Structure formats: C-alpha cells, structure tokens
Amino acid sequence: RFALIIGTLALALSFAVPAMAGLDEHLQDLAPFVGKTYMGEFTDAASGRKAVDVQVWEETLGGKAVRVTHSLNQGEYGGESIIFWDGKLEKVAFYYFTTAGFYTHGTMQLEGGVFTAVEMVEGDSSGITEVRSSSTLLDDGRLHMKSQYLQDGEWVPGHEIFYTEAPDAELVFK
C-alpha cells in the first residue's frame, strides 16, 4: 500500500541553494523542489504491482507552507501534504490527506544529507499506524524516497522510489 509523506511524504534534501524569495526560513531546505513536478515508477511492496507516481511541489500560504500534491496511477490514489514550521514543536511538521480516506501527521528533519520523516497514520483500514521515511536529492537531480510501515505492530518494507523531474507530467484525480 502506498502512503506518503511524505508524505509521505513526502520528503527531500537541499544542497547549498540561495533562499527562495517568500519561503519561510525554516522551509528553505525544500526550496529546490518548489515549483517542480516529479515522476517516479516503482513496485508497490504490499501488492507487487507496478505504479507511477506524479508529485507537484509548490509554495502556498504566502510562503508559510509547501504543498505537495501527488497522484498514483492516473488517479487511482492520491494525496496532498501541507508542510509547515511548527513553532511549538520547533520542527518542520506536516499533514497528509488522501483520497483513500485516511490522513497522517508528523515531523521531519535534516540529518547528514537526508530528510527523515516520522508520521502517525489515522484511519487506515490495512492496519498501518506509523510510517518512517527518508528522502534524498541525488547529485544527478533525482529524488530518492524510501519508507517502512508499522503494520499490525510489525515494521514492514514500504516503498522505494526514484523520481525524476517531469515538467509535463500531470496530476490526475478520479
């Protein structure tokens, strides 16, 4: 089963990049992704099916948040993440809402060149209650994302995806 961030979401790494005008200082590590569309093909760990995911990254709420919207297999599944600075937690936090009716919430941080995220899953019928993921922007411009799920009390492999920039890819929701 595919659950992001990422969130699953989703998320990613920044190398030395000038600050994006208008983007909150706490979100600057996401600046290399804002305004871009990515596409990744992978095999879903739960079903063994091939899948294609399209992600669109954009600045929102006057730079106080980043929105990542994605659709899987031409709208078979989709979701939207809102990533923001949580002053109370003093961390980058996010909410992820899905077309499958569940949502997640969590935090992320940058450690040694990799974004790591931990998210709690609310309302998933497959028994997934938590997701851990890491995201890295590779030197060749690809985005590498890998996750694992806490399902029925046991950590299981999630998905691993290599995304490439795909400016003409379109989000589809059914």
Side-chain angles (χ1 to χ4, degrees):
R1 209 176 149 112
F2 183 80
L4 285 178
I5 36 83
I6 351 285
T8 231
L9 299 160
L11 301 174
L13 166 70
S14 166
F15 295 97
V17 181
M20 174 171 265
L23 194 60
D24 184 279
E25 65 180 310
H26 299 100
L27 302 176
Q28 286 299 317
D29 289 334
L30 302 175
F33 308 100
V34 173
K36 294 184 180 176
T37 300
Y38 292 91
M39 184 168 60
E41 296 183 36
F42 67 102
T43 301
D44 181 65
S47 68
R49 291 181 40 211
K50 296 281 186 194
V52 176
D53 188 43
V54 174
Q55 294 185 356
V56 175
W57 291 67
E58 53 195 337
E59 178 182 317
T60 190
L61 300 174
K64 295 296 183 190
V66 171
R67 177 176 36 222
V68 182
T69 307
H70 81 103
S71 68
L72 186 67
N73 291 341
Q74 294 291 306
E76 183 178 293
Y77 169 87
E80 184 168 311
S81 296
I82 301 293
I83 306 165
F84 60 97
W85 174 252
D86 186 319
K88 184 176 178 183
L89 294 176
E90 295 189 3
K91 292 184 177 184
V92 174
F94 60 91
Y95 281 88
Y96 170 63
F97 303 96
T98 73
T99 59
F102 69 90
Y103 71 95
T104 74
H105 52 93
T107 60
M108 64 175 63
Q109 61 186 43
L110 176 63
E111 293 179 39
V114 177
F115 274 107
T116 56
V118 176
E119 59 193 291
M120 304 308 295
V121 180
E122 307 291 343
D124 180 69
S125 62
S126 70
I128 297 173
T129 57
E130 191 173 339
V131 177
R132 292 190 286 206
S133 62
S134 64
S135 303
T136 306
L137 181 62
L138 303 175
D139 290 338
D140 63 6
R142 291 181 303 154
L143 176 60
H144 176 238
M145 302 178 93
K146 189 172 184 175
S147 69
Q148 60 182 179
Y149 310 136
L150 183 60
Q151 186 173 30
D152 299 323
E154 190 174 322
W155 285 103
V156 297
H159 59 271
E160 182 172 16
I161 310 171
F162 289 89
Y163 290 91
T164 56
E165 196 171 342
D168 296 330
E170 293 184 27
L171 290 173
V172 177
F173 291 98
K174 293 182 180 177

